[in-house]
Amino acid sequence: MPAPIDFYFDFSSPYGYLASEQIDALAARHGRDVVWRPILLGVVFQQTGGQPLLNIPLKGGYARHDLARSARLLGLPFQLPSTFPFLSVAACRAYYWLHDQDPAGAVALAKALFREAFGTGGDIDSGEAVLRIAESAGVGVGGAGGAGEMAAALNDPAVKQRLRDEVSQAISKGVFGSPLFVVDGEPFWGHDRLDQVDLWLQRGGW
Amino acid sequence: MPAPIDFYFDFSSPYGYLASEQIDALAARHGRDVVWRPILLGVVFQQTGGQPLLNIPLKGGYARHDLARSARLLGLPFQLPSTFPFLSVAACRAYYWLHDQDPAGAVALAKALFREAFGTGGDIDSGEAVLRIAESAGVGVGGAGGAGEMAAALNDPAVKQRLRDEVSQAISKGVFGSPLFVVDGEPFWGHDRLDQVDLWLQRGGW
């Protein structure tokens, strides 16, 4: 069984959203699974001196245009949330908490969160918003405790630590942006590198 | 006759080099000409707060890897010059001076400069280097004054002003990086957007 593809992203990354709509199908064409790994770019940027793309003079205006254009090309709805960039801590915690019980459900939640944020321009930065989207998507709220379990997990010290560990591990592996894919040890950064990811999987490298 | 494609780049941009090896053929497939427009990214970065890609922690290391990998995919030689990033003022002045007498020769010079810098890792930051490459390529040194004419142009106040004007105009049009292409008013940034440039020309937009 070939190794899965690591898909690193921040829920606040609009190019991550575009990638989230494509990566599973792309991987499946090559018989690969995908491990979805949400991270906090803000923590990464403290080390790299990076800043949110859309805040950069000139480049930010271009990125808004490029995002809308790329979404149209893919046939995806696209709208920026009113609060942007936003903190994705709650979304990440919900994802990792759910992942440990129901990996497929966690990915479904991640897709629902991305669609809410960038497909319809909704805010997903609060715990309340994350719970509401989980309920809408019918994931992570089906246990005996219902939505209350997920609500508790968002403030669980173990879950908080789990997210810190995931972010630290990502940084130690050289992850510096979103989306970033690792295929058999080979890193590819950016939604616009998905074509190279596809070729790499097809040819086994070059 | 459809409008030409504007190709903005800095001679010190390795992704600009990759694009320089592809843009003319891509445009020709769609019956388009290309206007090559070298600029000085350093001046642009003073306004945008940008910094040379390869100097950024984590991202710089990735970019070196990505550049070599992308060049291999394209079948192009790739090596960074020992001095990098470098000042491309002399290269730009030589280009614009030559362009006004011999546009095709200026593009040939630009390609030769890019190949020297990133195909073989040679230094092209001095006037002497630019003159040597022009002589090797047999462009811009065939007039009555030979290479002396180009040498004089590199310090000609009118040529210096011409370059300043070109950079200012580029910034006023929103150019913030290299390579950047403008197709019928539509901007595309990055070597990895050439596939969208191709599609845009094919479909007339989307």
Side-chain angles (χ1 to χ4, degrees):
Chain A
M1 185 68 188
I5 296 167
D6 285 315
F7 169 35
Y8 293 94
F9 61 93
D10 187 316
F11 281 109
S12 183
S13 159
Y15 287 109
Y17 158 66
L18 297 183
S20 77
E21 294 284 342
Q22 298 178 271
I23 187 64
D24 279 350
L26 188 160
R29 285 201 300 275
H30 301 282
R32 300 281 187 127
D33 287 332
V34 179
V35 181
W36 290 48
R37 297 184 178 280
I39 56 166
L40 298 170
L41 268 188
V43 179
V44 176
F45 286 170
Q46 286 169 11
Q47 298 207 13
T48 61
Q51 57 175 316
L53 177 65
L54 274 65
N55 294 354
I56 302 172
L58 292 179
K59 202 182 272 190
Y62 170 80
R64 285 168 201 269
H65 186 79
D66 182 68
L67 281 160
R69 185 174 61 201
S70 294
R72 281 203 313 277
L73 180 60
L74 296 168
L76 295 172
F78 182 75
Q79 201 171 333
L80 285 178
S82 57
T83 305
F84 185 83
F86 57 84
L87 279 179
S88 58
V89 173
C92 286
R93 287 183 189 156
Y95 174 86
Y96 284 112
W97 168 76
L98 185 55
H99 181 267
D100 290 345
Q101 327 164 32
D102 177 6
V107 170
L109 175 61
K111 288 179 181 176
L113 287 163
F114 260 139
R115 283 172 192 163
E116 175 68 16
F118 297 109
T120 67
D123 289 327
I124 66 163
D125 51 343
S126 68
E128 293 70 28
V130 170
L131 289 171
R132 192 180 65 242
I133 294 157
E135 287 191 320
S136 277
V139 289
V141 293
E149 247 182 291
M150 186 183 281
L154 296 183
N155 287 306
D156 181 337
V159 174
K160 292 179 180 182
Q161 187 57 45
R162 169 69 183 280
L163 175 56
R164 279 193 288 268
D165 291 345
E166 292 285 344
V167 175
S168 296
Q169 279 174 34
I171 293 174
S172 74
K173 287 182 179 177
V175 173
F176 60 87
S178 167
L180 192 148
F181 315 93
V182 181
V183 183
D184 300 335
E186 194 73 15
F188 295 88
W189 171 47
H191 171 253
D192 44 21
R193 276 285 175 259
L194 275 178
D195 56 345
Q196 285 197 8
V197 170
D198 199 24
L199 268 178
W200 193 268
L201 288 163
Q202 183 188 314
R203 301 184 185 180
W206 59 79
Chain B
M1 184 70 189
I5 296 167
D6 286 314
F7 169 36
Y8 293 93
F9 61 92
D10 188 317
F11 281 110
S12 183
S13 160
Y15 287 109
Y17 158 67
L18 298 183
S20 78
E21 295 283 342
Q22 298 178 270
I23 187 62
D24 280 350
L26 188 161
R29 286 201 299 276
H30 301 282
R32 299 281 187 129
D33 286 332
V34 180
V35 180
W36 290 48
R37 297 184 179 279
I39 56 166
L40 298 170
L41 268 188
V43 178
V44 177
F45 286 169
Q46 285 169 13
Q47 298 208 11
T48 62
Q51 57 175 315
L53 177 65
L54 274 63
N55 293 355
I56 302 172
L58 292 179
K59 201 181 273 191
Y62 170 79
R64 286 167 201 269
H65 186 78
D66 182 68
L67 280 161
R69 184 174 61 199
S70 294
R72 281 204 311 278
L73 180 60
L74 296 168
L76 294 172
F78 182 74
Q79 200 173 334
L80 285 179
S82 57
T83 305
F84 185 82
F86 56 84
L87 279 179
S88 58
V89 173
C92 286
R93 287 182 188 157
Y95 173 86
Y96 284 112
W97 169 76
L98 184 54
H99 182 266
D100 291 344
Q101 328 163 31
D102 176 7
V107 170
L109 174 62
K111 289 180 181 175
L113 287 163
F114 260 139
R115 284 173 191 163
E116 175 69 16
F118 297 108
T120 67
D123 290 325
I124 66 163
D125 52 342
S126 68
E128 293 69 30
V130 171
L131 290 171
R132 192 180 64 243
I133 293 156
E135 286 190 320
S136 277
V139 288
V141 294
E149 250 183 289
M150 184 183 280
L154 297 182
N155 287 306
D156 180 338
V159 173
K160 292 180 180 180
Q161 188 57 45
R162 168 68 183 281
L163 175 55
R164 280 193 287 269
D165 292 344
E166 292 284 345
V167 174
S168 296
Q169 280 175 34
I171 293 173
S172 74
K173 287 182 179 176
V175 173
F176 60 87
S178 167
L180 192 148
F181 315 93
V182 181
V183 183
D184 299 335
E186 194 72 16
F188 295 88
W189 171 47
H191 171 254
D192 43 22
R193 276 286 176 259
L194 275 179
D195 55 345
Q196 285 198 8
V197 169
D198 200 23
L199 267 179
W200 193 267
L201 287 164
Q202 183 189 313
R203 301 184 185 181
W206 60 79

